[in-house]
Amino acid sequence: MSNNDFTYGLATGIAICAGLFSLGAAFVYINNQRAKNAKAAAHASQPLALSSIAVSDDRASTSSFVPNETHKISPDEPNPATLVRLQHLFEVNGDKLSQIAKHMVAEMKKGLATDDSTLKMIPTHVVRRPKGDETGSYLALDLGGTNFRVCEVTLDGRGGTRVRQSKHTVTDDLKNGTGAALFDFFAECVKQFLLSDDQKEVTDKDLHTNEFKLGFTFSFAVNQVSINSGFLMGWNKGFSASDCVGKDAVVLLQDAFKRKRMNVSVTALVNDTTGTLVSHAYSAPDTYVGVILGTGTNAAYVEKIENITKYKKDPAGAKDMIINTEWGAFDDEMVVIPRTKYDHKVDRGTANAKSWTFEKLISGMYLGEICRYVLVDLVKTGEIYIAGGSKSKTLSVPHAFETAFMSRIERDHSLDLSDVRTVLEDLMHIPGTTLADRRLTKAICEMIGKRAARLSAAGIAAIVTKMNKLDGCTVGIDGSLFELYPHFSNRMRDAMHEILGFSAENIVLEQARDGSGQGAALIAALAGKLTA
């Protein structure tokens, strides 16, 4: 054998060995990856058990990018360090959401046992849901916050409705004036609504002689003692009208009708979430939860009467009752939900500081104000609006930065964020904003809006878990945040998956437009059948 043949044979043998080694390594790697993927898939298919959630550190999911000295920041990009810091403040990861949901379930159970709990869990005395075959026309007055409506709801007996309504705005003077003036305003709006009916002529004499039955949607916490009696426990949503707290809301409205010489009988007092649930159940019978996500927030759901241990009345054979959770006060003790310094500033600036703190994290009345405090802080530290942030007097005005601005900003996908510029420069009077300023502003809106959606989802996950309805139910949701705020509903659904796993596919989140007024009319019409 020649030296060349030997060298060639040796090289060939080495190459074959190297190839076999590479194939073996690849085989081991592929098997390992398959095992890992199978393990991950098995884990993902299981919902997170709310009873076994461990306390987790939110910092674990914070972006790991930390700018170094060699990283060059584009003049059109926000400072990465600012973004990372804010992301850490406002991010609520999946483990934390599950912990929050678990804590809410525990608080719900406390509220069902005693009135001294943070979650009031108020029995509504509504013990049945409509079947969808009810008929007739009925009145409702729907007070949800800044806006309220007078409605005439006609039920067609096939799950459908026709609504005639008038919308009105409650001014700050009325919100913060006397209770008599506020309720007189409601009565006058009902009067003008009845007199303006194009289908049938109604006179002042008719208002005095004919009887009209009305359902009253009153979206504030009341101690409800019967279907048409409830005592106001406290104002929120910017209301502070005098001589109302501790009074029966039905009596306050009934007295106003008497002063207007109107023969209107308030046959049902309904919370807006209860109205939303009942209204949506008329067209979707598998609805067991009603949620409001708008100016304020709240939730109602169907509970087994045997679990409402504080309810001492005879349910007259009924097995279920709708519970008004008043979840706006959830975690007022601040033991489970992470809060930022901006959240605390917003809370201190309200008339009901240290209460309804959950509402102040997720409802439309407060999101813009949280954002404004962040922007003011960044102006002071020189991280945003360097050219003109200090020149804007509007930015320093409480509630000047509206949640509607956040919605508009998140909806802007233009290259130069021209609509963001319009909001900042024309509405907030901040001159000379840069593209980096506008991108940072949009990122802040996204962080605050996303947190609100995820916390809302945690609340719904808790309720569905408490009802043991993970196998399927519909949640009717009314309010501008769910309907109009960009990505809000999808962010909620994503969070539901993180908390409940595949069971989230069984929970249908549906828009329930104008449900609270229709629900009040339904309950007023069917008080004898739906109530205890």
Side-chain angles (χ1 to χ4, degrees), residues 382-417:
E383 296 173 87
I384 200 170
Y385 313 146
I386 296 175
S390 60
K391 300 176 183 178
S392 171
K393 294 182 180 179
T394 307
L395 190 59
S396 63
V397 176
H399 298 283
F401 194 91
E402 301 174 12
T403 302
F405 295 172
M406 294 175 60
S407 178
R408 184 171 173 181
I409 286 169
E410 281 216 52
R411 200 174 280 112
D412 186 1
H413 299 291
S414 62
L415 291 177
D416 63 346
L417 296 179

Side-chain angles (χ1 to χ4, degrees), residues 120-126 140-145 149 215-224 226-234 236-237 249-250 266 268-280 289-293 296-301 322-328 356 359 476 478 514-524:
K120 295 306 179 185
M121 305 297 288
I122 301 168
T124 64
H125 304 273
V126 179
L141 194 158
D142 180 13
L143 174 63
R149 300 175 301 144
F216 183 21
T217 300
F218 189 64
S219 306
F220 301 90
V222 297
N223 178 19
Q224 190 154 358
S226 70
I227 190 60
N228 63 347
S229 178
F231 297 85
L232 178 62
M233 300 168 71
N236 60 334
K237 305 177 188 177
V250 171
V266 183
L269 178 66
V270 184
N271 185 271
D272 53 356
T273 49
T274 304
T276 296
L277 194 166
V278 170
S279 173
H280 205 65
V289 185
V291 177
I292 300 295
L293 289 170
T297 184
N298 194 12
Y301 75 103
I322 296 177
I323 292 292
N324 166 23
T325 66
E326 290 296 340
W327 80 1
W356 302 98
E359 179 174 80
D478 197 0
D514 298 330
S516 55
Q518 293 184 43
L522 264 166
I523 296 171

Side-chain angles (χ1 to χ4, degrees), residues 171-194:
T171 65
D172 288 340
D173 288 342
L174 286 169
K175 289 180 183 179
N176 304 304
T178 66
L182 179 64
F183 282 84
D184 279 348
F185 175 65
F186 298 153
E188 180 63 27
C189 290
V190 173
K191 179 179 180 180
Q192 296 305 319
F193 177 81
L194 291 172

Side-chain angles (χ1 to χ4, degrees), residues 239-445:
F239 281 72
S240 63
S242 62
D243 300 322
C244 292
V245 175
K247 303 287 183 65
D248 189 331
V250 171
V251 173
L252 291 173
L253 182 59
Q254 203 74 71
D255 287 347
F257 285 134
K258 289 179 181 178
R259 288 192 290 269
K260 298 287 182 180
R261 294 181 56 79
M262 298 171 62
N263 189 16
V264 178
S265 178
V266 183
T267 58
L269 178 66
V270 184
N271 185 271
D272 53 356
T273 49
T274 304
T276 296
L277 194 166
V278 170
S279 173
H280 205 65
Y282 183 67
S283 57
D286 60 341
T287 302
Y288 284 83
V289 185
V291 177
I292 300 295
L293 289 170
T295 303
T297 184
N298 194 12
Y301 75 103
V302 179
E303 180 61 89
K304 295 184 182 302
I305 291 179
E306 64 185 30
N307 294 334
I308 314 171
T309 54
K310 68 181 180 182
Y311 186 72
K312 305 302 182 183
K313 294 186 178 182
D314 181 7
K319 295 181 179 180
D320 300 321
M321 179 180 290
I322 296 177
I323 292 292
N324 166 23
T325 66
E326 290 296 340
W327 80 1
F330 170 62
D331 198 37
D332 275 354
E333 304 88 349
M334 301 190 183
V335 298
V336 67
I337 302 177
R339 263 84 169 185
T340 70
K341 64 179 180 180
Y342 308 112
D343 302 321
H344 291 299
K345 286 182 178 180
V346 168
D347 180 45
R348 288 194 295 268
T350 63
N352 57 343
K354 296 184 179 180
S355 62
W356 302 98
T357 55
F358 187 60
E359 179 174 80
K360 294 168 188 174
L361 297 175
I362 67 177
S363 71
M365 184 169 184
Y366 302 102
L367 297 184
E369 185 68 349
I370 297 172
C371 191
R372 186 186 71 85
Y373 273 117
V374 176
L375 297 177
V376 168
D377 197 31
L378 295 181
V379 168
K380 291 179 181 178
T381 59
E383 296 173 87
I384 200 170
Y385 313 146
I386 296 175
S390 60
K391 300 176 183 178
S392 171
K393 294 182 180 179
T394 307
L395 190 59
S396 63
V397 176
H399 298 283
F401 194 91
E402 301 174 12
T403 302
F405 295 172
M406 294 175 60
S407 178
R408 184 171 173 181
I409 286 169
E410 281 216 52
R411 200 174 280 112
D412 186 1
H413 299 291
S414 62
L415 291 177
D416 63 346
L417 296 179
S418 56
D419 211 25
V420 180
R421 178 194 283 123
T422 298
V423 171
L424 296 177
E425 298 186 7
D426 296 350
L427 301 179
M428 295 304 297
H429 308 109
I430 303 171
T433 64
T434 65
L435 182 55
D437 289 334
R438 299 193 288 276
R439 285 175 171 170
L440 180 54
T441 302
K442 183 175 181 180
I444 292 167
C445 292

Side-chain angles (χ1 to χ4, degrees), residues 101-119:
K102 176 187 174 183
H103 186 67
M104 180 176 278
V105 170
E107 291 297 300
M108 290 171 69
K109 291 178 179 178
K110 289 181 183 178
L112 292 172
T114 175
D115 289 329
D116 296 330
S117 175
T118 302
L119 277 184

